[in-house]
Amino acid sequence: MAFCKVPSCGVLLLLFFIATCFLFQCFAAEVEANQTARLLVDASQGRPIPETLFGIFFEEINHAGAGGLWAELVSNRGFEAGGQNVPSNIDPWAIIGNDSSLIVSTDRSSCFERNKVALRMEVLCDSQGTNICPVGGVGVYNPGYWGMAIKQGKTYKVVFYIRSLGSVNISVSLTSSNGLQTLATSNIIASASDVSNWTRVETLLEAKETNPNARLQLTTSRKGSIWFDQVSAMPLDTYKGHGFRNDLFQMLADLKPRFVRFPGGCFVEGEWLRNAFRWKASVGPWENRPGHFGDVWIYWTDDGLGYFEFLQLAEDLGALPIWVFNNGISHTDEIDTSTVLPFVQEALDGIEFARGDPNSTWGSVRAAMGHPDPFDLRYVAVGNEDCGKKNYRGNYLKFYDAIKRAYPDIGIISNCDGSSSPLDHKADFYDFHIYTSANDLFSKTHKFDHTSRTGPKAFVSEYAVTGNDAGTGSLLAALAEGGFLIGLEKNSDVVAMASYAPLFVNANDRRWKPDAIVFNSAQVYGTPSYWVQQFFRESSGATLLNATLLTNSSSSLVASAISWEDSENAKSYLRIKVVNLGSSSVNLKVSVDGLGPNSIKLSGSTKTQLTSTNLKDENSFMEPNKVVPSLTLLETAAKDMDVVISPYSFTSYDLLRESVAMKMEGTDSFSRSSI
């Protein structure tokens, strides 16, 4: 007879422990998979959100302007990038031919006083005789900024200045990168008397084919000495003819920014003051602008995108300009407060350029550039990230007092952070910058909850997730930024403005990562951080509703509610935004008080969601729409509704509503919105 072996006590305990752990894990997983939350929204009253809350910050970094938004195709168009000592480097210009057929150098013979360097081309070959030029001639070419994107059917205006000791026959061509494919060409023929002095030449080239990596050529088969200067090639169809590349401009317009902060950033400061952006050198005819070497981001700009163009950009976008000017401080050297007054006067002159009467000294320069009416400049920032510098406070007060005397209505922004403790100097706004990890930025959702409600307001002019979490623009970074922006929106009584940084990057010269918009000469896409900003484009000027989030889980969920008006379609919406930075779905019960029983329409409401299969997913030229918002109809729209918030997602619900009267917080007045 067999005997059953009785398990020992140790084995029984082990089995019990394993079973208990298994049950606990199952229970924990069930709880994790069934997280719940409740959002209570009071739609009967609200607080107005500033009209200027969300905008954009444009810095000349990553070739954002030169080789980017500014549609000039020629790089180093004035041959000044190699410096004022000649002979000099003409990069990226290169020769067509060899030293038996031509010699190319630079000299200081230009007719432009601030741009004395010109290109001299000594052609040694000819169309006849013993030294015959090769087929197609000899000359120079410019590849632009990593290739010129030429499109079939489009017209390009080429302008250059020429001087010669004899008659000329110049071929102006757009070709493939190796010169073998001619996309468009024009011949310039002139007698010696016509070009004995510097002469402006303009020609239009209509492309017969498309090539995203083209170049501009100036060639000849006639012996002689020819000088070129200020060679420009621009597509005719820039936005409103104002010089902005259409596809990049549209990316900005789609954000509906309420302000444009410009032109930097570190670009304003310079590594040394001698290389800082100076607005007076960037206005007037483009041929007379000397350009400068931006020694922080290490590249030359012709400053075709200058102070005037930045003001025009803001106006074209329907946004307010925010001018950041140098206060006598760079990364390396500083002007002592006792000698800073010339810098103060330069700032005052810059304000007069923007706002002055067309008969004023600097207003007349603006008027001569085609804009007699003043620009709507209401805000200026005294420097960038200079608060810790030795002379900043002294310099700042000189600027503050002088500007307030001349323009008391202008809002002045200090570089010093006033979010945690009061400023020790006068200001209308203070600048706040933050670049950090995803978890840290998401935790900053409540950064301004306890900031003083009196005194200067915050301008969060630079924020982004950076480092490993961000890559070159990840979903993780975007979600954390979305949570941070919800916090800014909810604290918009003390946060007046906010903008992401950097805005643009040319993929061929990435000096910083991540960025909102990535482009090359022919393509463009938005990173997830760009798309998150679109969730907030209706927030400026909307009404913030009191929204209370109750959860049974961690703090990976944030939410807000606003009321906004679609003025184009005469419709009114209640928008609920929710960011879930957790790994589990959340069953969210939304309850909206203060509305009538049928105030939410059964049709016309939508759900927009930004998510992906992996937190580190990014967009690219190959997959530009890998991480973009998806829009669907919300058939269950109601003032009380149950929704499921996906893990790692940003979700927005736009509830179309009937006419409703709303009491504004802190007032006795009511606002009525109607469909």
Side-chain angles (χ1 to χ4, degrees):
M1 184 177 180
F3 290 89
C4 293
K5 189 173 181 179
V6 179
S8 67
C9 291
V11 173
L12 289 172
L13 286 172
L14 178 62
L15 291 172
F16 176 77
F17 176 77
I18 292 173
T20 302
C21 289
F22 177 76
L23 289 172
F24 176 79
Q25 288 175 351
C26 290
F27 175 74
E30 185 177 356
V31 170
E32 180 75 9
N34 290 281
Q35 290 187 22
T36 60
R38 189 175 182 188
L39 183 66
L40 307 177
V41 179
D42 183 359
S44 65
Q45 61 179 352
R47 172 171 54 76
I49 297 173
E51 295 282 348
T52 57
L53 184 56
F54 293 113
I56 57 176
F57 164 43
F58 186 103
E59 178 168 14
E60 182 57 88
I61 179 177
N62 305 320
H63 279 276
L69 180 63
W70 189 243
E72 173 63 65
L73 298 177
V74 177
S75 177
N76 189 20
R77 66 185 178 190
F79 308 101
E80 306 289 329
Q84 295 303 301
N85 295 323
V86 294
S88 57
N89 189 351
I90 62 171
D91 185 70
W93 291 90
I95 66 169
I96 302 169
N98 56 45
D99 57 9
S100 68
S101 56
L102 83 163
I103 299 172
V104 173
S105 63
T106 55
D107 62 25
R108 292 182 54 81
S109 64
S110 175
C111 59
F112 300 107
E113 286 303 316
R114 295 202 291 181
N115 300 304
K116 293 305 295 183
V117 178
L119 183 79
R120 183 177 188 269
M121 192 167 76
E122 185 72 21
V123 181
L124 306 177
C125 61
D126 209 337
S127 58
Q128 56 188 1
T130 57
N131 188 7
I132 297 177
C133 293
V135 175
V138 297
V140 292
Y141 72 85
N142 188 291
Y145 298 90
W146 302 280
M148 299 178 180
I150 302 303
K151 296 182 180 179
Q152 182 178 5
K154 288 184 66 172
T155 301
Y156 301 84
K157 181 170 76 172
V158 178
V159 176
F160 59 90
Y161 288 77
I162 188 172
R163 181 172 70 90
S164 179
L165 300 180
S167 60
V168 297
N169 186 341
I170 305 294
S171 292
V172 182
S173 307
L174 293 169
T175 74
S176 58
S177 60
N178 59 11
L180 299 180
Q181 176 194 33
T182 300
L183 309 173
T185 190
S186 173
N187 279 353
I188 306 299
I189 301 173
S191 66
S193 60
D194 289 334
V195 291
S196 59
N197 295 311
W198 282 104
T199 303
R200 186 180 190 273
V201 175
E202 178 179 319
T203 186
L204 297 178
L205 300 178
E206 183 179 344
K208 307 304 180 187
E209 296 184 60
T210 293
N211 191 312
N213 191 27
R215 71 190 198 187
L216 175 71
Q217 294 187 173
L218 303 174
T219 56
T220 185
S221 296
R222 181 170 297 181
K223 185 176 181 180
S225 297
I226 306 171
W227 286 261
F228 293 106
D229 198 14
Q230 298 301 329
V231 183
S232 169
M234 295 270 279
L236 277 186
D237 66 340
T238 62
Y239 184 78
K240 290 187 175 181
H242 291 161
F244 306 121
R245 182 173 145 179
N246 274 314
D247 56 346
L248 301 190
F249 180 90
Q250 192 59 51
M251 292 290 285
L252 301 184
D254 288 346
L255 291 176
K256 299 181 181 178
R258 296 302 183 93
F259 65 82
V260 179
R261 178 182 184 243
F262 70 89
C266 297
F267 183 72
V268 168
E269 300 166 276
E271 199 63 32
W272 294 88
L273 278 171
R274 63 176 175 265
N275 291 320
F277 177 79
R278 307 302 287 266
W279 77 265
K280 287 183 180 178
S282 75
V283 298
W286 59 268
E287 301 96 331
N288 286 317
R289 302 183 190 184
H292 79 288
F293 177 70
D295 61 354
V296 175
W297 306 121
I298 320 298
Y299 61 89
W300 174 266
T301 60
D302 290 315
D303 289 334
L305 181 59
Y307 183 43
F308 175 90
E309 287 75 21
F310 281 117
L311 292 167
Q312 186 66 67
L313 173 65
E315 184 175 272
D316 286 348
L317 288 169
L320 293 174
I322 300 179
W323 179 35
V324 185
F325 55 72
N326 189 289
N327 68 103
I329 297 176
S330 76
H331 287 180
T332 308
D333 53 340
E334 301 183 38
I335 298 295
D336 189 82
T337 299
S338 64
T339 57
V340 80
L341 287 182
F343 283 77
V344 174
Q345 187 58 53
E346 188 166 292
L348 291 171
D349 292 345
I351 297 172
E352 181 179 279
F353 177 92
R355 294 182 29 157
D357 185 276
N359 296 318
S360 64
T361 301
W362 287 103
S364 64
V365 177
R366 181 198 70 240
M369 295 180 71
H371 202 289
D373 294 332
F375 288 106
D376 193 8
L377 180 64
R378 304 183 194 178
Y379 307 99
V380 297
V382 183
N384 172 72
E385 295 182 348
D386 292 327
C387 183
K389 304 290 179 62
K390 179 182 68 172
N391 295 331
Y392 181 72
R393 281 172 172 77
N395 290 5
Y396 170 87
L397 290 174
K398 292 288 188 183
F399 283 92
Y400 182 93
D401 291 340
I403 293 171
K404 284 297 185 181
R405 278 195 301 269
Y407 304 95
D409 63 305
I410 282 188
I412 299 179
I413 303 161
S414 167
N415 287 178
C416 299
D417 178 13
S419 62
S420 300
S421 59
L423 298 180
D424 61 1
H425 54 273
K426 300 170 287 186
D428 299 302
F429 306 90
Y430 60 86
D431 219 344
F432 182 87
H433 295 181
I434 182 168
Y435 298 99
T436 186
S437 66
N439 283 338
D440 188 54
L441 189 64
F442 191 77
S443 73
K444 295 292 192 297
T445 297
H446 302 288
K447 165 66 181 173
F448 293 93
D449 286 4
H450 304 294
T451 296
S452 172
R453 265 43 199 172
T454 61
K457 296 185 183 298
F459 179 16
V460 184
S461 64
E462 299 182 33
Y463 74 86
V465 170
T466 54
N468 292 333
D469 289 344
T472 57
S474 68
L475 173 64
L476 173 59
L479 295 179
E481 290 156 4
F484 178 66
L485 292 181
I486 283 179
L488 298 187
E489 183 180 77
K490 296 177 79 168
N491 282 286
S492 56
D493 56 327
V494 293
V495 178
M497 294 174 280
S499 50
Y500 178 92
L503 184 60
F504 280 119
V505 59
N506 187 314
N508 296 286
D509 189 38
R510 192 184 293 273
R511 304 278 167 164
W512 183 285
K513 63 179 184 180
D515 310 271
I517 302 168
V518 185
F519 66 91
N520 57 28
S521 62
Q523 300 166 286
V524 60
Y525 67 85
T527 63
S529 294
Y530 170 84
W531 292 108
V532 157
Q533 293 176 62
Q534 291 217 1
F535 284 83
F536 294 87
R537 59 185 183 177
E538 280 82 25
S539 293
S540 299
T543 300
L544 180 71
L545 304 178
N546 185 34
T548 303
L549 183 65
L550 306 173
T551 69
N552 69 345
S553 59
S554 65
S555 56
S556 61
L557 205 69
V558 294
S560 70
I562 66 169
S563 173
W564 68 278
E565 308 297 321
D566 180 356
S567 56
E568 291 184 5
N569 298 305
K571 293 182 178 179
S572 177
Y573 292 91
L574 190 153
R575 172 173 292 178
I576 294 168
K577 295 191 290 291
V578 186
V579 174
N580 182 7
L581 201 59
S583 59
S584 300
S585 298
V586 177
N587 296 319
L588 179 66
K589 179 178 286 292
V590 177
S591 299
V592 183
D593 292 330
L595 296 180
N598 298 311
S599 54
I600 302 297
K601 289 198 163 189
L602 295 178
S603 62
S605 297
T606 59
K607 170 188 173 181
T608 306
Q609 184 181 70
L610 180 71
T611 190
S612 192
T613 55
N614 191 302
L615 261 181
K616 290 297 191 73
D617 279 350
E618 301 184 3
N619 294 329
S620 64
F621 290 124
M622 294 294 291
E623 294 181 281
N625 298 316
K626 185 174 185 178
V627 189
V628 297
S630 61
L631 176 69
T632 57
L633 292 176
L634 184 62
E635 298 178 354
T636 60
K639 67 186 187 69
D640 296 302
M641 62 181 186
D642 294 321
V643 295
V644 177
I645 308 299
S646 300
Y648 303 130
S649 67
F650 192 139
T651 310
S652 174
Y653 300 95
D654 278 303
L655 309 180
L656 180 62
R657 33 181 220 162
E658 300 282 0
S659 177
V660 60
M662 181 185 304
K663 188 177 188 298
M664 302 305 291
E665 188 176 292
T667 71
D668 294 324
S669 61
F670 285 81
S671 171
R672 179 169 296 277
S673 37
S674 58
I675 60 171

